[in-house]
Amino acid sequence: MLSAVVAATMEHLRREAAIGPVPAAAEASDAITAGYAVAADLIGAEIDEVAFVESGNRALAALIQSAALQSGDHVLVDRTSWGGTLHMLSSYPGVFVDVMPVDHHGRVDGDAAKAQAHSATKLGVLTWCPATGAIFNPAEAVGLLAQDLGAFYIVGACQVAGQRPKPSPRWRVLASPSAVPAKPMRRWTWMHGV
């Protein structure tokens, strides 16, 4: 982690210890507001479309919970889905997790995924750029599939954000109003010193 990030975090913790968490948060409100603006700019979103939570795991859990999965529902995932994501999904009784097929490069094959997608698919979870390989999954094609299915769509963008050129509206995966790019900002701030 960059020393500037460590210093800012430590200074905030010192202020919390000295004056309490609520006054320290009030003092930091301009910096927090700026953080929302930076995050929104990064992913091509509006500021009110950004949420900060305590961890990437908690963010993912909240997004999955918001899909309100029921027994009999199907979830599309890519084959590089994080084990924690699969564990969260396995906690929903009667929910089926369907792994999307890949092409000869190891990327999700959008056409094949569409052909095998179950009509009861309520959620799609895509790792846009897995940490374990040098591929970019077709986020927009999977978003279009999610839209066709009427499914909520989560795009894991941890490895993509900060690695691509300046965001464009395509980062929002315009296929669906329910598309949500998810990433832990701490990783991005570590990489870029914001």
Side-chain angles (χ1 to χ4, degrees):
M1 188 177 299
L2 294 176
S3 60
V5 174
V6 173
T9 303
M10 295 304 296
E11 181 55 30
H12 183 76
L13 290 173
R14 284 185 196 95
R15 291 301 292 158
E16 280 192 1
I19 65 173
V22 174
E27 285 182 1
S29 66
D30 288 345
I32 293 168
T33 299
Y36 279 92
V38 168
D41 183 56
L42 178 67
I43 62 172
E46 298 298 321
I47 291 174
D48 66 353
E49 295 173 314
V50 173
F52 291 154
V53 295
E54 58 271 27
S55 71
N57 289 344
R58 181 63 195 113
L60 184 60
L63 290 169
I64 290 172
Q65 289 167 358
S66 70
L69 296 171
Q70 304 289 319
S71 181
D73 288 344
H74 285 245
V75 178
L76 285 175
V77 299
D78 65 277
R79 73 177 185 167
T80 62
S81 279
W82 177 59
T85 303
L86 299 175
H87 179 72
M88 284 181 226
L89 293 170
S90 72
S91 70
Y92 289 87
V95 170
F96 299 92
V97 177
D98 303 324
V99 179
M100 291 180 275
V102 297
D103 63 17
H104 64 281
H105 297 291
R107 295 180 299 234
V108 169
D109 182 328
D111 292 333
K114 184 173 185 173
Q116 82 169 34
H118 196 282
S119 61
T121 300
K122 301 296 182 228
L123 174 63
V125 181
L126 179 77
T127 306
W128 198 348
C129 175
T132 57
I135 63 167
F136 284 91
N137 279 313
E140 190 168 5
V142 176
L144 289 168
L145 174 57
Q147 181 182 32
D148 289 348
L149 294 167
F152 189 70
Y153 181 41
I154 301 169
V155 180
C158 296
Q159 307 304 329
V160 173
Q163 303 301 316
R164 292 283 219 186
K166 175 89 171 121
S168 72
R170 295 180 73 78
W171 274 59
R172 295 202 58 205
V173 192
L174 296 173
S176 170
S178 62
V180 180
K183 68 170 303 334
M185 282 305 293
R186 183 179 58 105
R187 182 176 300 177
W188 191 81
T189 57
W190 172 74
M191 291 167 35
H192 298 279
V194 171

